[in-house]
Amino acid sequence: MALLFLRDIQLSFGSAPLLDKVSLQIEPNDRVCIVGRNGEGKSTLLKVIEGIIPPDDGTRIVQDGVHIAKLQQEVPHDTHGSVFHIIAQGLGDIAPLLDKFHKLSVKMEQDYSDEVLAHFTQVQQEIDAKNGWELNQKVDTVISKLGLPADVEFSTLSGGMKRRVLLAKALVQEPDILLLDEPTNHLDIPSIQWMENFLTSMRCALVFITHDRSFLQALANRIVELDRGKLSNWECDYHTYLERKAEWLEAEAKQNAEFDKKLAQEEAWIRQGIKARRTRNEGRVRALKQLREEHKARRSQQGKANLQTNIADTSGKQVIEIKELGFNYPNKPIVNGLSSVIMRGDKVGIIGENGCGKSTLINLLLGKLEPQEGSIKLGTNLKIAYFDQHRAQLNEELPVIESVLEESDHVEINGQRKHVMGYLGDFLFSPDRARQPVKALSGGERNRLLLARVFAKPSNLLILDEPTNDLDVETLELLEELLMNYQGTVLIVSHDREFLNNVCTSSLVFDAPGDVNEYVGGYDDWLRQRPRHYTEQNKTEKPEKKTEKKSETPTAPKSENKPPQKKKLSYKDQREYDALPQLLEDLEAQIETLNEEISQPDFYSQDQETIQGVLGKLQEKEAELEAAFERWEELEALIS
């Protein structure tokens, strides 16, 4: 039986309905992703499901006992209190008592007194009277499950940890349906992957909005598309949906063409005058009127954005040369010993966790910060355009039309002069929207406006800091295509794995604090190429935390009468085991040599046979290294 059912929901905020007689049902354990372009009404639909916005017409039916919780879209900046306090707020009226009990428990351990004890006892009694102990246990359980620091101040946490706390606040309510609106926004890749894995293991129904295609593909088992006020349901994963949607649009276009052809024929017939108005043709006249009404009611699909960059004169062949770069803050290493050459036409991704120093590296490359060690040399004839993830270039009070250019009402794009209103139309801003102030725009619209401002400037070096936040999938794909065809050089900071894979020809990755390395290709290519010790370091961090927790509970004592005995390897295995360290060292050296050869500026200017030969050899050596490591681990296990 469905947990929730929407039937013939009608909702309008203007002339065209945002939700036009839409119906939807949510089943237990559903993982539904709502997709659609910015401004179609996805967040509004989520609020109708939650019950915050009542529809103008239609029915919302929720099964008895079904509880709905929501992970809010924006992380609050003015929220204070301990992690325990924030999570307990999800329980409603009992929250202040539980928070007071938790604080007094800590105080009893640190500063015991009769007064504290009396207060503690009073709070205990009040919780007893309200049967609140089970709820307190829920908070403790969720904190433990998500690995959260209960007593840490919320405002001091990173963005990823704040998201985790807000998720805990929703989970403590034990929802049957969990709503998530852009849960991955402003999270780094490890935080996105953590949330991806955690939500996959949950047993409640999920209804979420996301523009992260990797996250969507991993999580959703059903796609619900909101397009021109109508809902369509696709029982499949995201990649299958894209294929079926393309076929559906093609069929729709064919059907509309046939309809328009018939309407044109009937319009031509009616113009014949008296002949068309004879009594025996009244039925045909009524049919024509019906065709006109259907054509009038038809909502055409919104046009695609027409993104263009304003290409400046060609830069020098060598764009940025980095030699033994070093820069660190007190007690925080950023980069040490980085050397790289970025050539004209390179598309370089900058990958790393939040707070690792990606923006600092960009400021070093832009010359806003001076290196403490080494040097950065910029090439000749550079025209730089910079996209700032914080959108500081936009004045909230100015109208949209005045935010693109400062001193002119015309944009010149690659030799063609265009009025700024027409230019904004290419970025899907209607004339009415273009006259509104920037502060009235949604997050996706602000990103499109900043892209319009950046692309209006002639450039041959684009530096884009988180350009994908809040953009709908269709605009994301257009931006990808634009950057892939861009004749200049691009530096991209992004946590969108699919975007990095599709655009980047190489990556600068913060593998560890102060340790920035260069790799060929995008995100998946980095995962394949990164040295094993980085992978092992990441794997061993989590088990160490688990063992600390396990040590708090008593374990059965080990028998001291029979100490474990090491197994002895056969003569053949022992010789193989002794030779493996040197083999591993040799293979790593060969891989390093091949990577250096591939990273040379003129490598891809060679013939395809030579290029493929080197890349194939690299893949072969990496496979040999992986097999050697696995064999070494097998032999280690035998003697340990």
Side-chain angles (χ1 to χ4, degrees), residues 127 185 221 257 294 297 365 375 393 412 433-434 495 537-539 541 567 610 624:
I127 293 175
N185 253 10
N221 60 15
E294 289 180 24
L365 298 180
S375 63
Q393 302 170 45
E412 189 166 315
R433 204 64 173 156
H495 299 305
Q537 178 181 342
N538 292 336
K539 285 181 180 177
E541 284 175 358
K567 294 181 181 180
T610 303
E624 289 179 20

Side-chain angles (χ1 to χ4, degrees), residues 190-446:
S191 298
I192 292 171
Q193 290 174 325
W194 175 89
M195 182 171 284
E196 200 173 276
N197 294 331
F198 183 83
L199 292 175
T200 302
S201 67
M202 287 188 61
R203 295 184 179 178
C204 67
L206 297 176
V207 183
F208 63 99
I209 299 168
T210 185
H211 299 141
D212 187 317
R213 290 158 292 177
S214 298
F215 183 84
L216 198 168
Q217 175 65 19
L219 206 58
N221 60 15
R222 182 152 67 101
I223 309 293
V224 171
E225 182 183 28
L226 182 57
D227 181 21
R228 291 164 280 174
K230 300 290 187 181
L231 275 186
S232 55
N233 186 64
W234 308 80
E235 299 278 353
C236 58
D237 64 7
Y238 178 62
H239 290 158
T240 308
Y241 151 76
L242 289 178
E243 295 171 2
R244 294 179 181 176
K245 174 67 175 177
E247 294 171 359
W248 184 88
L249 285 174
E250 186 177 343
E252 183 192 41
K254 185 177 180 181
Q255 183 180 355
N256 285 342
E258 291 174 354
F259 179 95
D260 293 343
K261 181 179 179 182
K262 183 178 179 180
L263 177 61
Q265 290 171 344
E266 294 302 291
E267 291 287 2
W269 168 79
I270 198 69
R271 292 191 188 95
Q272 293 178 16
I274 193 66
K275 180 181 177 182
R277 298 186 182 91
R278 289 175 184 168
T279 304
R280 64 177 179 270
N281 288 324
E282 283 182 0
R284 191 171 177 182
V285 173
R286 286 195 299 269
L288 173 58
K289 290 179 179 179
Q290 180 62 32
L291 287 175
R292 287 171 173 172
E293 290 299 318
E294 289 180 24
H295 186 270
K296 183 179 178 181
R298 183 204 299 172
R299 292 173 63 179
S300 300
Q301 189 177 31
Q302 186 182 13
K304 291 185 178 181
N306 180 25
L307 307 185
Q308 295 184 69
T309 53
N310 201 353
I311 303 296
D313 294 337
T314 304
S315 69
K317 188 175 181 181
Q318 186 170 292
V319 176
I320 303 175
E321 182 182 16
I322 307 169
K323 286 186 178 179
E324 296 297 325
L325 175 64
F327 186 91
N328 300 293
Y329 293 112
N331 302 319
K332 183 181 179 182
I334 301 297
V335 54
N336 291 297
L338 172 63
S339 294
S340 177
V341 177
I342 297 173
M343 306 299 292
R344 183 178 64 227
D346 284 351
K347 315 290 190 295
V348 184
I350 300 177
I351 304 173
E353 298 182 11
N354 285 339
C356 67
K358 300 186 295 297
S359 295
T360 300
L361 178 58
I362 283 182
N363 287 329
L364 286 164
L365 298 180
L366 288 173
K368 294 181 179 179
L369 290 173
E370 287 294 325
Q372 295 168 348
E373 297 177 5
S375 63
I376 296 174
K377 182 181 177 182
L378 297 180
T380 57
N381 197 33
L382 286 184
K383 302 290 183 183
I384 301 172
Y386 177 47
F387 180 101
D388 171 25
Q389 64 164 315
H390 302 295
R391 306 171 186 141
Q393 302 170 45
L394 298 179
N395 185 331
E396 295 276 312
E397 304 302 324
L398 281 180
V400 170
I401 193 171
E402 295 181 21
S403 300
V404 176
L405 297 173
E406 295 174 357
E407 299 178 355
S408 174
D409 57 359
H410 282 80
V411 182
E412 189 166 315
I413 302 293
N414 302 322
Q416 294 185 345
R417 200 163 184 262
K418 182 179 287 190
H419 191 274
V420 66
M421 191 67 82
Y423 178 68
L424 282 170
D426 291 341
F427 288 80
L428 303 182
F429 288 100
S430 65
D432 288 342
R433 204 64 173 156
R435 294 185 181 93
Q436 292 184 351
V438 172
K439 63 184 178 183
L441 301 181
S442 67
E445 288 174 319
R446 292 185 191 204

Side-chain angles (χ1 to χ4, degrees), residues 597 602-611 614:
E597 182 179 348
D602 58 349
F603 175 75
Y604 286 100
S605 63
Q606 304 175 88
D607 61 89
Q608 283 298 312
E609 186 177 346
T610 303
I611 293 171
V614 175

Side-chain angles (χ1 to χ4, degrees), residues 89 296 534:
Q89 287 178 347
K296 183 179 178 181
Y534 291 122

Side-chain angles (χ1 to χ4, degrees), residues 189 213 320 342 345-352 356-359 361-362 365-366 385-389 447 451 455 461-469 471 476 479-486 488-510 521-523:
I189 291 174
R213 290 158 292 177
I320 303 175
I342 297 173
D346 284 351
K347 315 290 190 295
V348 184
I350 300 177
I351 304 173
C356 67
K358 300 186 295 297
S359 295
L361 178 58
I362 283 182
L365 298 180
L366 288 173
Y386 177 47
F387 180 101
D388 171 25
Q389 64 164 315
N447 256 27
L451 286 173
F455 291 166
L461 173 58
L462 282 175
I463 299 181
L464 307 176
D465 192 357
E466 290 287 356
T468 63
N469 283 337
L471 291 181
L476 262 178
L479 179 59
E480 282 176 359
E481 185 178 353
L482 174 78
L483 295 178
M484 286 188 284
N485 296 325
Y486 182 64
T489 308
V490 186
L491 301 181
I492 310 164
V493 176
S494 180
H495 299 305
D496 187 319
R497 292 160 286 176
E498 188 87 3
F499 188 81
L500 291 167
N501 284 335
N502 293 341
V503 174
C504 296
T505 58
S506 64
S507 301
L508 292 174
V509 184
F510 287 76
Y523 176 78

